[in-house]
Amino acid sequence: MIGVFDSGIGGLTVVKALREQLPHHDIVYLGDTARTPYGSKSAATITRYSLNNTDFLQRQGARLIVIACNTASSYAFAAVRDHFDGPVFEVIGPGARLAMQRSRRFRIGVIGTRATVASGVYEQTIKVLQPGARVYATACPLLVPLVEEGWVRKPETAMIVRKYLHPLKMKQIDTLILGCTHYPVLRQVIQRKIGARVALVDSAEAVAGQVCACLGADGAMGHMGEGRGVLKIFVTDTAEQFRKTAQLILHQPVDIDQADL
Ligand code: DGL
């Protein structure tokens, strides 16, 4: 069973990509809605929450963990990897690598939470892969609550996206990393506002590709076996709004249980 967590709904974009690529694997998802957003919390708090989430998923039977949150990946990956007895995946490395494959001029924009942008982790990772790359990162703190509310097609959301992307447009980026797993939900409006010539890199899609490569029939972790494609979703707070947005992301009805961390 694959365990996936995020501060809220955003990690379901990773679940969607995982289910497309690994339809027979069972997945247990935890959205830590009681403590969202992580993007405005300290490194110590984000790490503590991430370890709680990992323990919960392990109790549900997870044998592999995907940190489907850029903020938690930025601050807590090493702690989760040291704590959990099994493979742990994060979203920054796969997103940065995919951006390097897609970019032609290596003028890279990154959008994420305040905490992810403050960590500088994308710049560091990209500079290792491509020392000459120019990286421009912008925090977009209002986008997570808009996604959690399901405000995907509202004109107010489009206005806010345009304002956040304006400085990156001025830098003439050719690739934009969606450095928060909530943002693929806003992919259409982001593409419209940044322009059709800018390649969007979805870190959710990128990490799913990496998990898939490791779990594939001949992959290094083929022994972890398949399941029946069951998806179990837990949240740490009320589920009603979460259910509506989850259905929007996954395009299927979902059952949601309460998690007791
Ligand atoms: N989805 C999370 C991420 O990828 C962030 C949401 C939050 O601020 O809690 O960074």
Side-chain angles (χ1 to χ4, degrees):
M1 170 123 65
I2 302 173
V4 182
F5 76 83
D6 178 41
S7 62
I9 198 110
L12 287 180
T13 61
V14 176
V15 168
K16 180 166 178 278
L18 283 169
R19 281 168 71 77
E20 279 162 14
Q21 297 186 37
L22 294 162
H24 303 299
H25 279 81
D26 295 336
I27 297 177
V28 54
Y29 181 82
L30 175 63
D32 190 9
T33 47
R35 304 188 290 192
T36 196
Y38 284 11
S40 52
K41 306 278 188 317
S42 68
T45 300
I46 295 165
T47 303
R48 182 160 49 87
Y49 291 174
S50 299
L51 294 176
N52 297 157
N53 297 344
T54 302
D55 286 341
F56 174 80
L57 292 171
Q58 187 163 24
R59 289 200 297 277
Q60 301 308 310
R63 295 171 65 197
L64 176 157
I65 297 290
V66 180
I67 307 177
C69 171
N70 288 255
T71 310
S73 296
S74 301
Y75 291 96
F77 172 57
V80 173
R81 193 193 47 200
D82 293 348
H83 181 76
F84 182 71
D85 186 21
V88 177
F89 292 81
E90 51 82 38
V91 285
I92 311 286
R97 281 192 291 278
L98 191 59
M100 292 308 94
Q101 286 163 22
R102 299 223 171 130
S103 177
R104 275 168 297 145
R105 291 184 293 113
F106 300 111
R107 295 183 73 83
I108 315 293
V110 179
I111 51 175
T113 64
R114 278 213 174 93
T116 299
V117 169
S119 76
V121 68
Y122 270 109
E123 284 92 326
Q124 289 156 22
T125 310
I126 290 170
K127 293 283 182 181
V128 170
L129 297 169
Q130 183 61 250
R134 307 294 287 265
V135 184
Y136 305 97
T138 298
C140 305
L142 294 174
L143 299 190
V144 166
L146 289 169
V147 171
E148 295 277 336
E149 277 304 306
W151 278 35
V152 175
R153 279 178 250 285
K154 303 261 185 197
E156 293 85 350
T157 303
M159 265 171 53
I160 292 168
V161 167
R162 184 167 62 113
K163 199 157 175 76
Y164 278 140
L165 296 183
H166 181 72
L168 298 177
K169 231 176 154 163
M170 293 295 100
K171 297 290 183 195
Q172 301 188 321
I173 58 166
D174 71 348
T175 303
L176 177 63
I177 298 178
L178 307 181
C180 171
T181 51
H182 283 67
Y183 299 171
V185 179
L186 299 174
R187 190 183 180 113
Q188 282 180 352
V189 59
I190 290 172
Q191 186 78 73
R192 225 173 36 242
K193 297 298 173 193
I194 196 68
R197 281 209 292 269
V198 174
L200 296 191
V201 170
D202 174 349
S203 54
E205 194 186 308
V207 70
Q210 198 180 338
V211 174
C212 183
C214 290
L215 285 181
D218 303 323
M221 284 178 262
H223 66 278
M224 293 199 64
E226 295 188 346
R228 285 179 296 136
V230 173
L231 170 61
K232 282 205 271 181
I233 299 180
F234 290 90
V235 290
T236 50
D237 201 353
T238 48
E240 217 26 63
Q241 183 54 40
F242 189 98
R243 177 177 291 104
K244 286 189 200 141
T245 312
Q247 287 174 184
L248 196 84
I249 295 172
L250 295 171
H251 306 297
Q252 65 173 72
V254 291
D255 279 333
I256 298 174
D257 289 314
Q258 189 74 31
D260 191 4
L261 298 191

